[in-house]
Amino acid sequence: MRTPKPYLNPYLAGIGLGLVLLSALVVMGRGLGASGALSSVVTFGVNIVAPSHTQSNTFYKEYLSTPTGNPLNDWLVFEIAGVLIGGLISGLLSGRVRRTVDKGMRATNIARFVYAFSGGLLVGIGSKLARGCTSGQALTGGALLSVGSWVFMIAVFASAYAVAFLFRKQWM
Amino acid sequence: MHAPFYQLGLFNNDTALFLAVVIGIGFGFFLEQAGFGSSVKLAQQFYLRDLTVFKVMFSAIITAMLGLFWLSWLGFIDLSLVRILPTYLVPQLVGGLLFGVGFVMGGYCPGTCCVAAVTGKMDGWIHLLGMISGIIVFGELFPLISDFYSSTPLGELTLQQVFNLSHGSVVLLIVLVALAGYYGAEKLEARHRSMR
């Protein structure tokens, strides 16, 4: 197996991300997103299982209002498909694609999975309540100087630092 | 004014979706290059051992913020056509607090989780499953929490409006805060390296 290449200098990676974000704003008049695309995918699934349910729920209904009525026919869904492709290309070029569980040396796989699922659950709920995640709110809203986005970003870091000691064993 | 291109009708929805994939590829590429496909790398931010998350996020914000400011100053882009998400103060604050706990617990945010999953991280896939479950929980509970979700609406509110400053002054202040932050981040990392 190839040894993975070192990561890109963080300032350069940030400038790269910033230019991608800027191009989205200039070309589309909108920024990046991730949690919105997942919501469209969730709505697509729920709509197959229970179409009358998605129609009566205002949360799901919002994601059904695309040009064709198919929740997957959405800008962010295509963008996140690109994220998967771009992440894979970068990982392949740098020798970082391999099946592994990312965790600290002292953590067990089971504990890591329980935390990953629970953390994901909270991230999902939190991003919906905040109308966006680190992509749509923190990065995009941050660059657009939106008050709600900066409040969101500060809240994310404040609470993560406040409870970080609880999860230390998982990461060290 | 020449931009935003889509808002000015330069291309149709199909082209927009194609460009979404192209922009997404760039997004995913730089997330992975930054090391954000690794939860261990991301989590070090919260133990002040590796401040890559801070450095990457702020240089991205500053790059886009300055670019947008200059393009608007040159008369190239009409900022009134760029969509700003409206502020709902309290739900966004509470959402951020929940998100922060989930971030340090699970190790990923939605975008980085996708990059982790596609590069083979099993914890990334589980985290993705957790996020999808969280969105379903939110969707099912939505009728109960929709009042809270729509509370404290402040509209498309910007920092320059709140602090009664010009766009350029806020941009300058954020750049200065970031530069001070970079200096502090480098100091912290150097101290951690010397302790090992």
Side-chain angles (χ1 to χ4, degrees), chain B residues 65-193:
Chain B
M65 176 183 73
L66 282 175
L68 211 56
F69 175 72
W70 286 325
L71 290 176
S72 141
W73 183 71
L74 291 168
F76 184 80
I77 189 168
D78 183 355
L79 284 186
S80 69
L81 294 177
V82 175
R83 194 172 78 178
I84 296 190
L85 292 173
T87 292
Y88 291 83
L89 199 60
V90 177
Q92 287 185 311
L93 176 70
V94 175
L97 294 173
L98 288 174
F99 190 109
V101 176
F103 197 171
V104 69
M105 186 192 259
Y108 299 108
C109 58
T112 54
C113 175
C114 291
V115 171
V118 82
T119 52
K121 308 289 190 326
M122 291 302 121
D123 51 318
W125 286 104
I126 305 274
H127 192 275
L128 192 61
L129 211 60
M131 284 193 307
I132 288 171
S133 310
I135 294 171
I136 294 173
V137 168
F138 185 85
E140 294 309 313
L141 291 178
F142 192 72
L144 299 173
I145 53 178
S146 61
D147 284 345
F148 177 66
Y149 180 70
S150 310
S151 63
T152 52
L154 300 178
E156 294 183 1
L157 188 66
T158 59
L159 294 171
Q160 51 269 41
Q161 288 169 317
V162 168
F163 295 108
N164 198 20
L165 290 166
S166 69
H167 186 187
S169 313
V170 175
V171 166
L172 177 66
L173 281 173
I174 290 177
V175 171
L176 292 176
V177 168
L179 289 177
Y182 295 153
Y183 178 77
E186 296 300 336
K187 283 266 179 201
L188 273 168
E189 286 181 352
R191 198 173 70 181
H192 182 69
R193 273 195 299 272

Side-chain angles (χ1 to χ4, degrees), chain A residues 8 11 14 26-27 29 53 57-58 60 75 90 94 96 100 102 112 131 134 145 147-148 159 161 164 170-171, chain B residues 4-6 16 32-33 38-39 45 47 60 83 87 92 97 104 106 109 122-123 139-140 142 149 157 159 186:
Chain A
L8 186 61
Y11 298 107
V26 169
V27 171
H53 182 58
N57 179 311
T58 39
Y60 296 127
W75 198 84
S90 166
S94 307
R96 284 192 287 261
T100 170
D102 213 26
R112 176 69 193 105
R131 291 171 163 80
T134 14
L145 309 172
V147 171
S159 78
Y161 276 107
Q170 187 187 194
W171 303 121
Chain B
F5 304 150
Y6 181 66
E32 206 287 329
Q33 281 298 313
S38 159
S39 55
Q45 171 72 38
Y47 303 94
R83 194 172 78 178
T87 292
Q92 287 185 311
L97 294 173
V104 69
C109 58
M122 291 302 121
D123 51 318
E140 294 309 313
F142 192 72
Y149 180 70
L157 188 66
L159 294 171
E186 296 300 336

Side-chain angles (χ1 to χ4, degrees), chain A residues 2 5 14 48 53 70 81 93-94 114 142 160:
Chain A
R2 220 144 60 92
K5 287 188 191 153
I48 287 175
H53 182 58
N70 182 340
L93 289 176
S94 307
V114 169

